[in-house]
mmCIF file of all heavy atoms in Angstrom:
data_model
loop_
_atom_site.group_PDB
_atom_site.id
_atom_site.type_symbol
_atom_site.label_atom_id
_atom_site.label_comp_id
_atom_site.label_asym_id
_atom_site.label_seq_id
_atom_site.Cartn_x
_atom_site.Cartn_y
_atom_site.Cartn_z
ATOM 1 N N GLU A 1 -16.246 4.946 -7.973
ATOM 2 C CA GLU A 1 -14.858 5.290 -8.414
ATOM 3 C C GLU A 1 -14.465 4.605 -9.818
ATOM 4 O O GLU A 1 -13.958 5.205 -10.734
ATOM 5 C CB GLU A 1 -13.960 4.889 -7.349
ATOM 6 C CG GLU A 1 -12.470 5.307 -7.720
ATOM 7 C CD GLU A 1 -12.295 6.720 -7.745
ATOM 8 O OE1 GLU A 1 -12.980 7.486 -7.040
ATOM 9 O OE2 GLU A 1 -11.441 7.138 -8.628
ATOM 10 N N TYR A 2 -14.889 3.365 -9.835
ATOM 11 C CA TYR A 2 -14.666 2.547 -11.203
ATOM 12 C C TYR A 2 -15.340 3.236 -12.357
ATOM 13 O O TYR A 2 -14.778 3.554 -13.402
ATOM 14 C CB TYR A 2 -15.065 1.205 -11.088
ATOM 15 C CG TYR A 2 -14.077 0.264 -10.425
ATOM 16 C CD1 TYR A 2 -14.342 -0.248 -9.240
ATOM 17 C CD2 TYR A 2 -12.888 -0.095 -11.012
ATOM 18 C CE1 TYR A 2 -13.453 -1.135 -8.586
ATOM 19 C CE2 TYR A 2 -12.077 -0.901 -10.406
ATOM 20 C CZ TYR A 2 -12.259 -1.429 -9.137
ATOM 21 O OH TYR A 2 -11.386 -2.284 -8.629
ATOM 22 N N PHE A 3 -16.596 3.719 -12.136
ATOM 23 C CA PHE A 3 -17.403 4.268 -13.101
ATOM 24 C C PHE A 3 -16.967 5.685 -13.566
ATOM 25 O O PHE A 3 -16.734 5.882 -14.766
ATOM 26 C CB PHE A 3 -18.936 4.459 -12.595
ATOM 27 C CG PHE A 3 -19.824 5.058 -13.567
ATOM 28 C CD1 PHE A 3 -20.174 4.339 -14.768
ATOM 29 C CD2 PHE A 3 -20.212 6.396 -13.443
ATOM 30 C CE1 PHE A 3 -21.035 4.915 -15.655
ATOM 31 C CE2 PHE A 3 -21.170 6.966 -14.403
ATOM 32 C CZ PHE A 3 -21.520 6.209 -15.514
ATOM 33 N N LYS A 4 -16.545 6.520 -12.533
ATOM 34 C CA LYS A 4 -16.052 7.853 -12.831
ATOM 35 C C LYS A 4 -14.745 7.763 -13.550
ATOM 36 O O LYS A 4 -14.568 8.530 -14.510
ATOM 37 C CB LYS A 4 -16.060 8.721 -11.520
ATOM 38 C CG LYS A 4 -17.366 9.187 -11.023
ATOM 39 C CD LYS A 4 -17.150 9.942 -9.704
ATOM 40 C CE LYS A 4 -18.394 10.188 -9.110
ATOM 41 N NZ LYS A 4 -18.261 11.056 -7.787
ATOM 42 N N ALA A 5 -13.868 7.018 -13.065
ATOM 43 C CA ALA A 5 -12.519 6.883 -13.606
ATOM 44 C C ALA A 5 -12.662 6.265 -15.029
ATOM 45 O O ALA A 5 -11.999 6.777 -15.917
ATOM 46 C CB ALA A 5 -11.601 6.045 -12.745
ATOM 47 N N GLY A 6 -13.509 5.220 -15.286
ATOM 48 C CA GLY A 6 -13.696 4.754 -16.599
ATOM 49 C C GLY A 6 -14.198 5.681 -17.650
ATOM 50 O O GLY A 6 -13.868 5.625 -18.634
ATOM 51 N N GLN A 7 -15.061 6.645 -17.127
ATOM 52 C CA GLN A 7 -15.503 7.640 -18.046
ATOM 53 C C GLN A 7 -14.406 8.594 -18.627
ATOM 54 O O GLN A 7 -14.420 9.099 -19.668
ATOM 55 C CB GLN A 7 -16.573 8.551 -17.308
ATOM 56 C CG GLN A 7 -17.902 7.909 -17.198
ATOM 57 C CD GLN A 7 -18.910 8.854 -16.608
ATOM 58 O OE1 GLN A 7 -18.581 9.535 -15.666
ATOM 59 N NE2 GLN A 7 -20.156 8.798 -17.035
ATOM 60 N N ASN A 8 -13.377 8.719 -17.694
ATOM 61 C CA ASN A 8 -12.185 9.534 -18.141
ATOM 62 C C ASN A 8 -11.031 8.716 -18.619
ATOM 63 O O ASN A 8 -9.948 9.258 -18.760
ATOM 64 C CB ASN A 8 -11.706 10.369 -16.888
ATOM 65 C CG ASN A 8 -12.738 11.384 -16.549
ATOM 66 O OD1 ASN A 8 -13.373 11.987 -17.380
ATOM 67 N ND2 ASN A 8 -13.027 11.422 -15.276
ATOM 68 N N GLY A 9 -11.300 7.510 -19.135
ATOM 69 C CA GLY A 9 -10.203 6.628 -19.631
ATOM 70 C C GLY A 9 -9.306 6.064 -18.768
ATOM 71 O O GLY A 9 -8.283 5.430 -19.114
ATOM 72 N N MET A 10 -9.572 6.065 -17.436
ATOM 73 C CA MET A 10 -8.639 5.507 -16.429
ATOM 74 C C MET A 10 -9.240 4.159 -16.011
ATOM 75 O O MET A 10 -10.332 3.790 -16.103
ATOM 76 C CB MET A 10 -8.592 6.402 -15.201
ATOM 77 C CG MET A 10 -8.161 7.711 -15.393
ATOM 78 S SD MET A 10 -6.500 7.843 -15.676
ATOM 79 C CE MET A 10 -6.202 9.516 -15.805
ATOM 80 N N HIS A 11 -8.208 3.281 -15.601
ATOM 81 C CA HIS A 11 -8.555 1.973 -15.086
ATOM 82 C C HIS A 11 -7.949 1.746 -13.677
ATOM 83 O O HIS A 11 -6.936 1.414 -13.510
ATOM 84 C CB HIS A 11 -7.952 0.931 -15.976
ATOM 85 C CG HIS A 11 -8.391 1.039 -17.460
ATOM 86 N ND1 HIS A 11 -9.639 0.734 -17.895
ATOM 87 C CD2 HIS A 11 -7.772 1.610 -18.590
ATOM 88 C CE1 HIS A 11 -9.722 0.910 -19.142
ATOM 89 N NE2 HIS A 11 -8.629 1.496 -19.575
ATOM 90 N N PRO A 12 -8.856 2.276 -12.722
ATOM 91 C CA PRO A 12 -8.302 2.220 -11.326
ATOM 92 C C PRO A 12 -8.079 0.912 -10.793
ATOM 93 O O PRO A 12 -8.705 -0.066 -11.159
ATOM 94 C CB PRO A 12 -9.516 2.809 -10.651
ATOM 95 C CG PRO A 12 -10.706 2.720 -11.287
ATOM 96 C CD PRO A 12 -10.310 2.657 -12.779
ATOM 97 N N GLU A 13 -7.055 0.750 -9.989
ATOM 98 C CA GLU A 13 -6.615 -0.580 -9.545
ATOM 99 C C GLU A 13 -6.602 -0.622 -7.955
ATOM 100 O O GLU A 13 -6.982 -1.551 -7.379
ATOM 101 C CB GLU A 13 -5.276 -1.040 -10.091
ATOM 102 C CG GLU A 13 -5.330 -1.252 -11.513
ATOM 103 C CD GLU A 13 -4.242 -2.164 -12.062
ATOM 104 O OE1 GLU A 13 -3.569 -2.814 -11.117
ATOM 105 O OE2 GLU A 13 -4.129 -2.231 -13.153
ATOM 106 N N ILE A 14 -6.070 0.460 -7.343
ATOM 107 C CA ILE A 14 -5.806 0.417 -5.849
ATOM 108 C C ILE A 14 -6.087 1.756 -5.297
ATOM 109 O O ILE A 14 -5.831 2.749 -5.968
ATOM 110 C CB ILE A 14 -4.385 0.035 -5.565
ATOM 111 C CG1 ILE A 14 -4.127 -1.472 -6.155
ATOM 112 C CG2 ILE A 14 -4.144 -0.058 -4.088
ATOM 113 C CD1 ILE A 14 -2.626 -1.868 -5.957
ATOM 114 N N MET A 15 -6.505 1.831 -4.075
ATOM 115 C CA MET A 15 -6.601 3.027 -3.326
ATOM 116 C C MET A 15 -5.656 2.829 -2.107
ATOM 117 O O MET A 15 -5.841 1.850 -1.317
ATOM 118 C CB MET A 15 -8.030 3.428 -2.842
ATOM 119 C CG MET A 15 -8.159 4.844 -2.262
ATOM 120 S SD MET A 15 -7.828 4.998 -0.511
ATOM 121 C CE MET A 15 -9.258 3.949 0.112
ATOM 122 N N LEU A 16 -4.726 3.674 -1.878
ATOM 123 C CA LEU A 16 -3.830 3.761 -0.714
ATOM 124 C C LEU A 16 -4.044 4.978 0.197
ATOM 125 O O LEU A 16 -4.416 6.010 -0.418
ATOM 126 C CB LEU A 16 -2.368 3.733 -1.171
ATOM 127 C CG LEU A 16 -1.994 2.493 -1.971
ATOM 128 C CD1 LEU A 16 -0.542 2.669 -2.389
ATOM 129 C CD2 LEU A 16 -2.098 1.169 -1.216
ATOM 130 N N THR A 17 -3.997 4.748 1.493
ATOM 131 C CA THR A 17 -4.113 5.875 2.367
ATOM 132 C C THR A 17 -2.754 5.960 3.130
ATOM 133 O O THR A 17 -2.216 5.096 3.446
ATOM 134 C CB THR A 17 -5.183 5.545 3.408
ATOM 135 O OG1 THR A 17 -6.422 5.327 2.710
ATOM 136 C CG2 THR A 17 -5.380 6.706 4.386
ATOM 137 N N THR A 18 -2.273 7.310 3.160
ATOM 138 C CA THR A 18 -1.044 7.597 3.957
ATOM 139 C C THR A 18 -1.297 8.967 4.695
ATOM 140 O O THR A 18 -2.190 9.649 4.439
ATOM 141 C CB THR A 18 0.143 7.613 2.902
ATOM 142 O OG1 THR A 18 1.292 7.743 3.703
ATOM 143 C CG2 THR A 18 0.071 8.806 2.013
ATOM 144 N N ALA A 19 -0.293 9.219 5.555
ATOM 145 C CA ALA A 19 -0.280 10.476 6.266
ATOM 146 C C ALA A 19 -0.233 11.584 5.258
ATOM 147 O O ALA A 19 0.655 11.505 4.288
ATOM 148 C CB ALA A 19 0.816 10.472 7.309
ATOM 149 N N ALA A 20 -1.009 12.691 5.277
ATOM 150 C CA ALA A 20 -1.005 13.689 4.305
ATOM 151 C C ALA A 20 0.400 14.372 4.214
ATOM 152 O O ALA A 20 0.671 14.916 3.068
ATOM 153 C CB ALA A 20 -2.011 14.762 4.601
ATOM 154 N N ILE A 21 1.079 14.454 5.285
ATOM 155 C CA ILE A 21 2.341 15.043 5.239
ATOM 156 C C ILE A 21 3.417 14.369 4.258
ATOM 157 O O ILE A 21 4.414 14.847 3.848
ATOM 158 C CB ILE A 21 2.977 15.291 6.624
ATOM 159 C CG1 ILE A 21 4.118 16.192 6.678
ATOM 160 C CG2 ILE A 21 3.382 13.922 7.125
ATOM 161 C CD1 ILE A 21 4.365 16.761 8.048
ATOM 162 N N ASN A 22 3.251 13.017 4.017
ATOM 163 C CA ASN A 22 4.114 12.217 3.226
ATOM 164 C C ASN A 22 3.980 12.604 1.751
ATOM 165 O O ASN A 22 4.792 12.383 0.982
ATOM 166 C CB ASN A 22 3.667 10.761 3.315
ATOM 167 C CG ASN A 22 3.955 10.212 4.604
ATOM 168 O OD1 ASN A 22 4.900 10.649 5.322
ATOM 169 N ND2 ASN A 22 3.424 9.011 4.901
ATOM 170 N N TYR A 23 2.740 13.166 1.272
ATOM 171 C CA TYR A 23 2.514 13.418 -0.130
ATOM 172 C C TYR A 23 2.822 14.784 -0.487
ATOM 173 O O TYR A 23 2.350 15.745 0.015
ATOM 174 C CB TYR A 23 1.056 13.052 -0.474
ATOM 175 C CG TYR A 23 0.769 13.119 -1.951
ATOM 176 C CD1 TYR A 23 1.246 12.210 -2.788
ATOM 177 C CD2 TYR A 23 -0.028 14.133 -2.386
ATOM 178 C CE1 TYR A 23 1.074 12.340 -4.197
ATOM 179 C CE2 TYR A 23 -0.305 14.204 -3.724
ATOM 180 C CZ TYR A 23 0.179 13.293 -4.625
ATOM 181 O OH TYR A 23 -0.091 13.372 -5.960
ATOM 182 N N SER A 24 3.727 14.863 -1.590
ATOM 183 C CA SER A 24 4.093 16.230 -2.184
ATOM 184 C C SER A 24 3.829 16.381 -3.581
ATOM 185 O O SER A 24 4.547 17.055 -4.371
ATOM 186 C CB SER A 24 5.614 16.398 -1.967
ATOM 187 O OG SER A 24 5.947 16.320 -0.500
ATOM 188 N N GLY A 25 2.618 15.795 -4.024
ATOM 189 C CA GLY A 25 2.333 16.028 -5.432
ATOM 190 C C GLY A 25 2.918 15.036 -6.428
ATOM 191 O O GLY A 25 2.840 15.305 -7.682
ATOM 192 N N GLU A 26 3.513 14.001 -5.955
ATOM 193 C CA GLU A 26 4.127 12.989 -6.914
ATOM 194 C C GLU A 26 3.047 12.440 -7.811
ATOM 195 O O GLU A 26 1.892 12.313 -7.374
ATOM 196 C CB GLU A 26 4.809 11.936 -6.130
ATOM 197 C CG GLU A 26 6.087 12.459 -5.404
ATOM 198 C CD GLU A 26 5.908 12.899 -4.009
ATOM 199 O OE1 GLU A 26 4.653 13.076 -3.630
ATOM 200 O OE2 GLU A 26 6.865 13.196 -3.326
ATOM 201 N N MET A 27 3.400 11.977 -8.992
ATOM 202 C CA MET A 27 2.500 11.523 -9.901
ATOM 203 C C MET A 27 2.735 9.913 -10.085
ATOM 204 O O MET A 27 1.928 9.260 -10.818
ATOM 205 C CB MET A 27 2.640 12.151 -11.279
ATOM 206 C CG MET A 27 2.348 13.607 -11.218
ATOM 207 S SD MET A 27 0.612 13.974 -10.537
ATOM 208 C CE MET A 27 -0.396 13.237 -11.871
ATOM 209 N N MET A 28 3.775 9.456 -9.548
ATOM 210 C CA MET A 28 4.064 7.883 -9.702
ATOM 211 C C MET A 28 4.382 7.343 -8.294
ATOM 212 O O MET A 28 4.859 8.019 -7.452
ATOM 213 C CB MET A 28 5.278 7.840 -10.494
ATOM 214 C CG MET A 28 5.244 8.222 -11.951
ATOM 215 S SD MET A 28 4.157 7.016 -12.907
ATOM 216 C CE MET A 28 5.148 5.610 -12.838
ATOM 217 N N ILE A 29 3.938 6.088 -8.071
ATOM 218 C CA ILE A 29 4.257 5.376 -6.861
ATOM 219 C C ILE A 29 4.607 3.930 -7.153
ATOM 220 O O ILE A 29 4.049 3.403 -8.133
ATOM 221 C CB ILE A 29 3.089 5.479 -5.885
ATOM 222 C CG1 ILE A 29 3.420 5.012 -4.511
ATOM 223 C CG2 ILE A 29 1.827 4.838 -6.457
ATOM 224 C CD1 ILE A 29 2.289 5.383 -3.507
ATOM 225 N N GLU A 30 5.403 3.331 -6.428
ATOM 226 C CA GLU A 30 5.674 1.951 -6.544
ATOM 227 C C GLU A 30 5.077 1.175 -5.257
ATOM 228 O O GLU A 30 5.392 1.576 -4.213
ATOM 229 C CB GLU A 30 7.200 1.684 -6.576
ATOM 230 C CG GLU A 30 7.540 0.249 -6.752
ATOM 231 C CD GLU A 30 9.130 0.096 -6.775
ATOM 232 O OE1 GLU A 30 9.792 0.796 -7.511
ATOM 233 O OE2 GLU A 30 9.552 -0.813 -6.071
ATOM 234 N N TYR A 31 4.311 0.100 -5.563
ATOM 235 C CA TYR A 31 3.619 -0.606 -4.521
ATOM 236 C C TYR A 31 3.701 -2.044 -4.785
ATOM 237 O O TYR A 31 3.257 -2.417 -5.836
ATOM 238 C CB TYR A 31 2.289 -0.036 -4.184
ATOM 239 C CG TYR A 31 1.400 -0.785 -3.152
ATOM 240 C CD1 TYR A 31 1.902 -0.670 -1.820
ATOM 241 C CD2 TYR A 31 0.258 -1.461 -3.452
ATOM 242 C CE1 TYR A 31 1.150 -1.210 -0.842
ATOM 243 C CE2 TYR A 31 -0.348 -2.072 -2.373
ATOM 244 C CZ TYR A 31 0.077 -2.000 -1.126
ATOM 245 O OH TYR A 31 -0.714 -2.596 -0.148
ATOM 246 N N LYS A 32 4.236 -2.840 -3.854
ATOM 247 C CA LYS A 32 4.365 -4.353 -4.156
ATOM 248 C C LYS A 32 5.091 -4.627 -5.424
ATOM 249 O O LYS A 32 4.791 -5.398 -6.280
ATOM 250 C CB LYS A 32 3.023 -4.951 -4.054
ATOM 251 C CG LYS A 32 2.333 -4.974 -2.712
ATOM 252 C CD LYS A 32 1.079 -5.691 -2.714
ATOM 253 C CE LYS A 32 0.455 -5.677 -1.313
ATOM 254 N NZ LYS A 32 -0.809 -6.344 -1.273
ATOM 255 N N LYS A 33 6.207 -3.787 -5.623
ATOM 256 C CA LYS A 33 7.074 -3.858 -6.846
ATOM 257 C C LYS A 33 6.519 -3.666 -8.183
ATOM 258 O O LYS A 33 6.986 -4.157 -9.148
ATOM 259 C CB LYS A 33 7.802 -5.337 -6.756
ATOM 260 C CG LYS A 33 8.614 -5.561 -5.558
ATOM 261 C CD LYS A 33 9.381 -6.857 -5.624
ATOM 262 C CE LYS A 33 10.215 -6.961 -4.297
ATOM 263 N NZ LYS A 33 11.158 -8.026 -4.350
ATOM 264 N N VAL A 34 5.408 -2.902 -8.179
ATOM 265 C CA VAL A 34 4.703 -2.512 -9.375
ATOM 266 C C VAL A 34 4.499 -1.056 -9.376
ATOM 267 O O VAL A 34 4.173 -0.399 -8.291
ATOM 268 C CB VAL A 34 3.150 -3.097 -9.504
ATOM 269 C CG1 VAL A 34 2.557 -2.676 -10.774
ATOM 270 C CG2 VAL A 34 3.366 -4.655 -9.398
ATOM 271 N N GLN A 35 4.879 -0.379 -10.506
ATOM 272 C CA GLN A 35 4.717 1.028 -10.612
ATOM 273 C C GLN A 35 3.233 1.370 -11.072
ATOM 274 O O GLN A 35 2.909 0.811 -12.019
ATOM 275 C CB GLN A 35 5.758 1.693 -11.622
ATOM 276 C CG GLN A 35 7.127 1.695 -10.967
ATOM 277 C CD GLN A 35 8.025 2.570 -11.897
ATOM 278 O OE1 GLN A 35 7.653 3.186 -12.839
ATOM 279 N NE2 GLN A 35 9.326 2.342 -11.551
ATOM 280 N N TYR A 36 2.668 2.435 -10.432
ATOM 281 C CA TYR A 36 1.346 2.890 -10.722
ATOM 282 C C TYR A 36 1.554 4.439 -10.922
ATOM 283 O O TYR A 36 2.303 5.133 -10.362
ATOM 284 C CB TYR A 36 0.388 2.711 -9.550
ATOM 285 C CG TYR A 36 0.228 1.267 -9.326
ATOM 286 C CD1 TYR A 36 1.045 0.497 -8.364
ATOM 287 C CD2 TYR A 36 -0.756 0.557 -9.973
ATOM 288 C CE1 TYR A 36 0.714 -0.848 -8.045
ATOM 289 C CE2 TYR A 36 -1.026 -0.785 -9.730
ATOM 290 C CZ TYR A 36 -0.255 -1.464 -8.776
ATOM 291 O OH TYR A 36 -0.536 -2.741 -8.424
ATOM 292 N N GLY A 37 0.550 5.012 -11.604
ATOM 293 C CA GLY A 37 0.311 6.484 -11.671
ATOM 294 C C GLY A 37 -0.729 6.842 -10.781
ATOM 295 O O GLY A 37 -1.568 6.021 -10.477
ATOM 296 N N ILE A 38 -0.532 8.031 -10.153
ATOM 297 C CA ILE A 38 -1.500 8.455 -9.220
ATOM 298 C C ILE A 38 -2.498 9.451 -10.126
ATOM 299 O O ILE A 38 -2.001 10.412 -10.449
ATOM 300 C CB ILE A 38 -0.890 9.290 -8.057
ATOM 301 C CG1 ILE A 38 0.140 8.315 -7.316
ATOM 302 C CG2 ILE A 38 -1.885 9.877 -7.105
ATOM 303 C CD1 ILE A 38 0.982 9.028 -6.272
ATOM 304 N N TYR A 39 -3.679 9.030 -10.257
ATOM 305 C CA TYR A 39 -4.627 9.839 -11.104
ATOM 306 C C TYR A 39 -5.464 10.796 -10.377
ATOM 307 O O TYR A 39 -6.101 11.670 -10.834
ATOM 308 C CB TYR A 39 -5.374 8.979 -12.046
ATOM 309 C CG TYR A 39 -6.440 8.168 -11.332
ATOM 310 C CD1 TYR A 39 -7.746 8.657 -11.207
ATOM 311 C CD2 TYR A 39 -6.249 6.861 -10.937
ATOM 312 C CE1 TYR A 39 -8.710 7.950 -10.611
ATOM 313 C CE2 TYR A 39 -7.123 6.084 -10.366
ATOM 314 C CZ TYR A 39 -8.424 6.690 -10.181
ATOM 315 O OH TYR A 39 -9.399 5.856 -9.500
ATOM 316 N N ARG A 40 -5.495 10.470 -8.941
ATOM 317 C CA ARG A 40 -6.453 11.364 -8.144
ATOM 318 C C ARG A 40 -6.069 11.180 -6.655
ATOM 319 O O ARG A 40 -5.617 10.194 -6.273
ATOM 320 C CB ARG A 40 -7.867 11.030 -8.374
ATOM 321 C CG ARG A 40 -8.909 11.841 -7.559
ATOM 322 C CD ARG A 40 -10.348 11.388 -8.014
ATOM 323 N NE ARG A 40 -10.851 10.411 -7.266
ATOM 324 C CZ ARG A 40 -11.532 10.389 -6.175
ATOM 325 N NH1 ARG A 40 -11.665 11.662 -5.529
ATOM 326 N NH2 ARG A 40 -11.922 9.382 -5.543
ATOM 327 N N THR A 41 -6.274 12.219 -5.991
ATOM 328 C CA THR A 41 -6.186 12.313 -4.453
ATOM 329 C C THR A 41 -7.295 12.834 -3.789
ATOM 330 O O THR A 41 -8.168 13.598 -4.465
ATOM 331 C CB THR A 41 -4.791 13.027 -4.021
ATOM 332 O OG1 THR A 41 -5.074 14.451 -4.380
ATOM 333 C CG2 THR A 41 -3.526 12.532 -4.739
ATOM 334 N N PHE A 42 -7.441 12.475 -2.505
ATOM 335 C CA PHE A 42 -8.620 13.058 -1.730
ATOM 336 C C PHE A 42 -8.129 13.276 -0.431
ATOM 337 O O PHE A 42 -7.640 12.355 0.238
ATOM 338 C CB PHE A 42 -9.808 12.114 -1.713
ATOM 339 C CG PHE A 42 -10.998 12.619 -1.017
ATOM 340 C CD1 PHE A 42 -11.738 13.604 -1.440
ATOM 341 C CD2 PHE A 42 -11.269 12.079 0.291
ATOM 342 C CE1 PHE A 42 -12.645 14.201 -0.737
ATOM 343 C CE2 PHE A 42 -12.329 12.494 1.030
ATOM 344 C CZ PHE A 42 -13.079 13.552 0.546
ATOM 345 N N HIS A 43 -8.284 14.553 0.057
ATOM 346 C CA HIS A 43 -7.832 14.896 1.506
ATOM 347 C C HIS A 43 -8.904 15.677 2.090
ATOM 348 O O HIS A 43 -9.279 16.817 1.591
ATOM 349 C CB HIS A 43 -6.592 15.573 1.351
ATOM 350 C CG HIS A 43 -6.084 16.088 2.732
ATOM 351 N ND1 HIS A 43 -5.825 17.408 2.963
ATOM 352 C CD2 HIS A 43 -5.703 15.303 3.787
ATOM 353 C CE1 HIS A 43 -5.375 17.487 4.314
ATOM 354 N NE2 HIS A 43 -5.439 16.220 4.780
ATOM 355 N N GLU A 44 -9.518 15.216 3.084
ATOM 356 C CA GLU A 44 -10.624 15.958 3.957
ATOM 357 C C GLU A 44 -9.791 17.040 4.841
ATOM 358 O O GLU A 44 -8.752 16.567 5.391
ATOM 359 C CB GLU A 44 -11.441 15.150 4.834
ATOM 360 C CG GLU A 44 -12.397 14.298 3.957
ATOM 361 C CD GLU A 44 -13.352 13.494 4.843
ATOM 362 O OE1 GLU A 44 -13.801 14.123 5.734
ATOM 363 O OE2 GLU A 44 -13.704 12.373 4.480
#
């Protein structure tokens, strides 16, 4: 993940898992009082 994201100019920091029903395509998230961009999602 670090390698693939780095090739695209991203600097991954955290992966969070949540119930799929919670996510509606948002591009920003706040976690532990820090704002992050969501650059990729994965749902089986």
Side-chain angles (χ1 to χ4, degrees):
E1 182 65 30
Y2 279 110
F3 180 73
K4 287 179 187 176
Q7 285 181 321
N8 293 315
M10 301 287 184
H11 302 285
E13 291 204 16
I14 301 172
M15 188 274 290
L16 298 177
T17 304
T18 188
I21 196 164
N22 290 337
Y23 184 68
S24 300
E26 291 87 354
M27 298 304 294
M28 296 285 297
I29 192 167
E30 183 179 311
Y31 181 62
K32 295 184 178 177
K33 299 186 181 189
V34 177
Q35 285 190 12
Y36 296 94
I38 300 171
Y39 70 89
R40 183 172 86 84
T41 62
F42 179 73
H43 179 239
E44 289 190 39

